[in-house]
Amino acid sequence: MRRLSLLLASLCVLYHVAFSFNDDSFFHRSISKKPIDAGQVANGNFEQGPKASDMKGTVVTKRDAIPEWEISGLVEYIKSGQKQGDMLLVVPEGAHAVRLGNGASIKQRIKVIKENYYSITFVVARTCAQNERLNVSVAPDWVVLPMQTLYSSDGWDAYAWSFQADYSLAELVIHNPRSKEEDQACGPLIDSVAIKALYPPRPTKINILKNGGFEEGPYIFPNTSWGVLIPPNIVDLSDHSPIPAWIVESLKAVKYIDSQHFSVPQGNRAVELVAGKESAIAQVVRTVVGRTYLLTFDVGDAGDSCEGPMVVEVYAAKENTKVSYESKGKGGFKLGFLKFKAISTRTRIVFLSSFYTMKSDSSLCGPVIDDVRLISVHNS
């Protein structure tokens, strides 16, 4: 009887494995062999397209027709230069993108390291709907990004969002949550999708703040010059950020920029406050009540033709300061500082821009923050 029981159990296991393999055969073909540390996901720029037999006009008719992706609902495969009414659809990188109709989604399974943090960067453009949104998820984490604000002049923006891997296989889903009863032609366009592992920074002997130079952050596409938008925490409710240790504590996004495309005061990365007082970034640090601290930081411009007077407001404990900077739009920076006495074991340090600033092409811009340092000093 014992041998019979073991035999039956073995047959059940084999049946379950065979059934699972057949059910998920599409995913087994599309999963990368090893975790990606930084770079585009498989066919992340959608340059590998569906066969002509799997399309009806621009509409993709088969769920696994786009290599490495699975689709649901009305998904269109768009070629750069294609017209929608009087509007010319231009793809920023490569020649193809996908459009998500109302209620439609695309998804891909990606190998990751369990419990590690990751950021997803993707390039998106809205078409005709003012209230477009995009739902991005890796269960159980998710975010719904509003797209009412256009930050660039050409209609395309890169966004980043972060998650913690609960499993060694992450199922990334990008979904258009609009009602199917609304105009299907108004769905967002998705061009490039990338992933980057995030490594939680630690304070050092010379800086109580973590990631004060913003060197740890999301993937930036090398062939784009917009930077990457980090959504505010009123939208992204997770307890982690694409810029580790920092919180976007505002109504609008901040822009994460790199030295390849922008003027950065120190190192390779910085943050641009692009939406006035609606664009703020903060960090909570451990402090000792009654001890005096000195906060230093760089304020400058990104060298992106953002001209005019700029003012950065800084808050810590009961103290605050304003640092003025006159931008010529060609790069440069000045040093700012704030001394304060801690009134709690945790102190929130906040940076925000006093004014809205726009470039000549009407795109949003603002002052750059970099090289933020905090040290304990002797009481005077």
Side-chain angles (χ1 to χ4, degrees):
M1 287 296 295
R2 184 180 178 186
R3 289 181 180 178
L4 180 60
S5 299
L6 288 171
L7 178 60
L8 288 172
S10 300
L11 288 171
C12 288
V13 169
L14 287 171
Y15 174 81
H16 176 74
V17 169
F19 178 80
S20 299
F21 179 82
N22 290 331
D23 190 52
D24 286 346
S25 59
F26 163 73
F27 291 119
H28 282 279
R29 293 197 304 272
S30 63
I31 297 168
S32 57
K33 292 183 179 180
K34 61 180 181 179
I36 303 171
D37 190 68
Q40 283 197 359
V41 301
N43 196 24
N45 57 7
F46 304 101
E47 291 306 299
Q48 300 175 50
K51 298 175 183 177
S53 59
D54 294 332
M55 294 182 64
K56 186 176 181 180
T58 59
V59 177
V60 184
T61 58
K62 190 177 178 183
R63 73 180 183 99
D64 59 350
I66 301 175
E68 312 296 345
W69 294 91
E70 181 183 8
I71 70 167
S72 175
L74 192 150
V75 175
E76 293 180 86
Y77 190 65
I78 302 297
K79 186 176 181 179
S80 187
Q82 183 176 316
K83 277 194 171 183
Q84 177 186 308
D86 295 330
M87 183 170 61
L88 187 69
L89 301 177
V90 179
V91 176
E93 187 174 11
H96 298 91
V98 295
R99 173 163 41 202
L100 303 182
N102 299 332
S105 65
I106 55 173
K107 67 180 177 181
Q108 182 177 141
R109 286 186 177 181
I110 307 165
K111 275 199 171 183
V112 291
I113 298 174
K114 186 179 178 181
E115 297 184 356
N116 276 17
Y117 290 95
Y118 292 88
S119 66
I120 298 293
T121 304
F122 55 94
V123 179
V124 61
R126 75 181 194 203
T127 47
C128 51
Q130 292 294 319
N131 61 339
E132 277 184 10
R133 296 176 298 156
L134 202 62
N135 187 338
V136 185
S137 65
V138 174
D141 291 333
W142 57 274
V143 66
V144 177
L145 297 171
M147 309 229 159
Q148 288 91 339
T149 302
L150 287 176
Y151 292 86
S152 65
S153 59
D154 60 5
W156 288 90
D157 285 313
Y159 280 88
W161 169 76
S162 64
F163 68 94
Q164 185 177 19
D166 281 10
Y167 310 97
S168 59
L169 204 58
E171 185 173 87
L172 169 66
V173 181
I174 302 176
H175 170 68
N176 176 7
R178 282 172 61 87
S179 167
K180 292 182 180 180
E181 284 71 35
E182 300 177 68
D183 185 0
Q184 290 282 354
C186 287
L189 294 168
I190 311 294
D191 182 30
S192 299
V193 183
I195 189 170
K196 183 175 181 290
L198 298 175
Y199 299 99
R202 299 181 180 277
T204 66
K205 292 181 180 179
I206 59 172
N207 195 357
I208 301 171
L209 274 161
K210 301 175 183 178
N211 199 20
F214 304 103
E215 296 300 302
E216 187 66 33
Y219 184 82
I220 297 179
F221 292 102
N223 297 325
T224 60
S225 57
W226 318 297
V228 176
L229 296 168
I230 312 298
N233 65 340
I234 62 166
V235 171
D236 185 359
L237 302 177
S238 62
D239 59 356
H240 38 79
S241 164
I243 307 177
W246 292 94
I247 309 162
V248 181
E249 215 171 48
S250 52
L251 297 174
K252 301 292 185 184
V254 302
K255 183 182 287 187
Y256 188 64
I257 61 175
D258 65 334
S259 58
Q260 288 184 323
H261 303 97
F262 299 89
S263 177
V264 172
Q266 306 289 338
N268 298 311
R269 301 286 190 269
V271 165
E272 185 178 8
L273 304 176
V274 292
K277 289 189 176 182
E278 291 185 297
S279 189
I281 194 164
Q283 184 173 148
V284 178
V285 296
R286 294 180 182 274
T287 50
V288 177
V289 176
R291 185 172 292 180
T292 301
Y293 293 86
L294 178 65
L295 178 71
T296 62
F297 49 91
D298 293 336
V299 174
D301 71 275
D304 56 355
S305 302
C306 187
E307 301 179 19
M310 298 178 179
V311 177
V312 172
E313 300 179 24
V314 188
Y315 298 85
K318 293 182 177 180
E319 305 299 328
N320 66 83
T321 188
K322 294 183 178 181
V323 178
S324 300
Y325 177 80
E326 187 68 31
S327 172
K328 296 181 179 179
K330 298 179 179 179
F333 66 94
K334 66 187 290 186
L335 180 67
F337 67 91
L338 175 65
K339 185 181 283 190
F340 66 91
K341 183 176 287 188
I343 57 175
S344 173
T345 56
R346 291 183 179 271
T347 299
R348 186 178 299 273
I349 295 169
V350 182
F351 294 86
L352 60 86
S353 174
S354 296
F355 312 123
Y356 268 96
T357 312
M358 298 182 76
K359 295 188 281 187
S360 58
D361 62 5
S362 299
S363 59
L364 293 170
C365 62
V368 168
I369 304 296
D370 197 12
D371 197 26
V372 185
R373 297 173 183 264
L374 181 67
I375 59 172
S376 174
V377 296
H378 294 293
N379 294 328
S380 56

